[in-house]
C-alpha cells in the first residue's frame, strides 16, 4: 500500500541546472508534506516542507510545489550543486492521526555532475 | 545545534538474541519515533511515543518489539528475539509538537546473522 510514491528512482543533472524531483500521494487526509535529504550512513535531514493550504514554499535554492487536485508535489533545486547529490525522500503527515507519523516515499537518488 | 543521537552505530547479533537500540532525542521534544529502512527500501514507520506511552504502532511492530523511556533522556527500542529479516537501519526521531518536521538520528545498522 504505497500511499506516497516517488516513481523516479534516480535523476542525474548537470551542475547549475535545475533538479526536479516528483512525488505523488493517494491519501487525501495528508495535510503536511516534507522533503528529506539523506546521505549514505546518515539519518534523513529535513529540507523543506509545505502545508496543504499552500501551493508553494521557497527556501533559498529549494522550492516545493503542491498540486492538491493532482495529489502531486515536486521539489525544485536551482541551481543544482554537486553537494546536493543524495537520496531525497518525500514524506507526508496524515491529518487524521495526531501522532506525527510520517509516511515516506521510496526515495530518488539525485546525482549532480560537475 | 541540538541533535538526536543513537548508539551503537552498528550492531551485529545472532538470530534469536535480544538487542537494545538506544537513542537520546532532542531535549525539549515531546514526540519520539522509531523508523527502519531495510537495504534498498523506503523508510518505514515502526512506533510513536508520547507522554510515556505508545501512541501509534505499525503492523511491523509486533510483540517482539518494545519501546521504553527509562529516564528523562533515553528512548530505547528492544527486539526480544531477532530474526534475519530484522536486519536494517533503525532510525530514531523526535518532534517538538508532533506536527512539524521530525529530526532524525544517524541510525543504527542492525545485522542479524
Amino acid at each position: 500500500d504505497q500511499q506516497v510514491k516517488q516513481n523516479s528512482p534516480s535523476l542525474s543533472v548537470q551542475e547549475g541546472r535545475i533538479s526536479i524531483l516528483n512525488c505523488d500521494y493517494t491519501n487525501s487526509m495528508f495535510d503536511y508534506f516534507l522533503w528529506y535529504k539523506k546521505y549514505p550512513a546518515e539519518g534523513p535531514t529535513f529540507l523543506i516542507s509545505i502545508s496543504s493550504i499552500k501551493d508553494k514554499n521557497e527556501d533559498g535554492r529549494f522550492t516545493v510545489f503542491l498540486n492538491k487536485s493532482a495529489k502531486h508535489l515536486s521539489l525544485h533545486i536551482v541551481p543544482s550543486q554537486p553537494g546536493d547529490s543524495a537520496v531525497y525522500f518525500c514524506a507526508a503527515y496524515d491529518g487524521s492521526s495526531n501522532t506525527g507519523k510520517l509516511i515516506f516515499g521510496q526515495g530518488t537518488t539525485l546525482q549532480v555532475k560537475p | 545545534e541540538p541533535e538526536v543521537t543513537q548508539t551503537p552505530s552498528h550492531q551485529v547479533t545472532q538470530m534469536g538474541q535480544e538487542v537494545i537500540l538506544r537513542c537520546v532525542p532532542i531535549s525539549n521534544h515531546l514526540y519520539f519515533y522509531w523508523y527502519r529502512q531495510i537495504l534498498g527500501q523506503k523508510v518505514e514507520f515502526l512506533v510513536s511515543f508520547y507522554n510515556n506511552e505508545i501512541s501509534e504502532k505499525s503492523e511491523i511492530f509486533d510483540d517482539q518489539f518494545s519501546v521504553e523511556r527509562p529516564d528523562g533522556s533515553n528512548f530505547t527500542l528492544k527486539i526480544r528475539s531477532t530474526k534475519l529479516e530484522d536486519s536494517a537501519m533503525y532510525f530514531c526521531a523526535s518532534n517538538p509538537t508532533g506536527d512539524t518536521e521530525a529530526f532524525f538520528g544517524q541510525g543504527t545498522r542492525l545485522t542479524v546473522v
Side-chain angles (χ1 to χ4, degrees), chain A residues 73-88:
Chain A
L73 62 153
S74 60
L75 174 67
H76 292 211
I77 307 173
V78 182
S80 302
Q81 299 173 353
D84 296 330
S85 298
V87 180
Y88 288 78

Side-chain angles (χ1 to χ4, degrees), chain A residues 14-34:
Chain A
Q14 208 64 36
E15 181 178 6
R17 305 296 289 268
I18 184 171
S19 296
I20 300 176
L21 296 99
N22 294 302
C23 178
D24 297 295
Y25 63 96
T26 57
N27 190 334
S28 57
M29 295 302 296
F30 289 163
D31 61 357
Y32 195 79
F33 303 89
L34 308 92

Side-chain angles (χ1 to χ4, degrees), chain B residues 1-108:
Chain B
E1 184 175 326
E3 58 180 18
V4 177
T5 57
Q6 290 184 242
T7 55
S9 56
H10 191 191
Q11 172 93 45
V12 181
T13 188
Q14 296 235 324
M15 191 168 54
Q17 295 295 304
E18 173 183 286
V19 293
I20 297 176
L21 310 183
R22 303 182 191 279
C23 169
V24 179
I26 296 173
S27 62
N28 61 344
H29 286 190
L30 301 177
Y31 293 78
F32 313 111
Y33 310 88
W34 283 100
Y35 290 82
R36 79 173 185 189
Q37 185 184 26
I38 294 171
L39 187 64
Q41 298 186 22
K42 64 179 179 179
V43 177
E44 300 175 288
F45 168 79
L46 291 179
V47 65
S48 60
F49 193 86
Y50 170 72
N51 201 25
N52 284 319
E53 60 182 22
I54 291 173
S55 49
E56 187 171 356
K57 59 184 180 179
S58 71
E59 296 172 353
I60 303 166
F61 195 89
D62 62 21
D63 292 344
Q64 294 300 312
F65 291 86
S66 62
V67 289
E68 196 176 39
R69 190 160 160 81
D71 53 42
S73 59
N74 291 286
F75 180 51
T76 62
L77 173 69
K78 181 193 290 186
I79 309 175
R80 289 191 183 81
S81 178
T82 50
K83 306 178 201 136
L84 293 175
E85 54 265 36
D86 292 329
S87 296
M89 281 290 288
Y90 287 80
F91 296 106
C92 174
S94 68
N95 187 316
T97 58
D99 58 0
T100 56
E101 62 269 20
F103 293 82
F104 284 77
Q106 78 279 18
T108 293

Side-chain angles (χ1 to χ4, degrees), chain A residues 23-109:
Chain A
C23 178
D24 297 295
Y25 63 96
T26 57
N27 190 334
S28 57
M29 295 302 296
F30 289 163
D31 61 357
Y32 195 79
F33 303 89
L34 308 92
W35 284 93
Y36 281 85
K37 177 179 177 180
K38 186 180 178 305
Y39 293 116
E42 293 185 13
T45 302
F46 170 72
L47 199 56
I48 192 170
S49 62
I50 188 166
S51 165
S52 60
I53 62 173
K54 294 185 175 182
D55 55 18
K56 178 182 174 181
N57 188 26
E58 192 171 352
D59 184 3
R61 295 186 296 115
F62 304 92
T63 303
V64 57
F65 295 92
L66 175 63
N67 182 333
K68 279 187 65 178
S69 60
K71 293 191 175 68
H72 177 83
L73 62 153
S74 60
L75 174 67
H76 292 211
I77 307 173
V78 182
S80 302
Q81 299 173 353
D84 296 330
S85 298
V87 180
Y88 288 78
F89 290 97
C90 171
Y93 278 134
D94 184 344
S96 63
S97 162
N98 63 354
T99 64
K101 174 181 79 173
L102 285 169
I103 309 295
F104 282 87
Q106 308 94 308
T108 296
T109 300

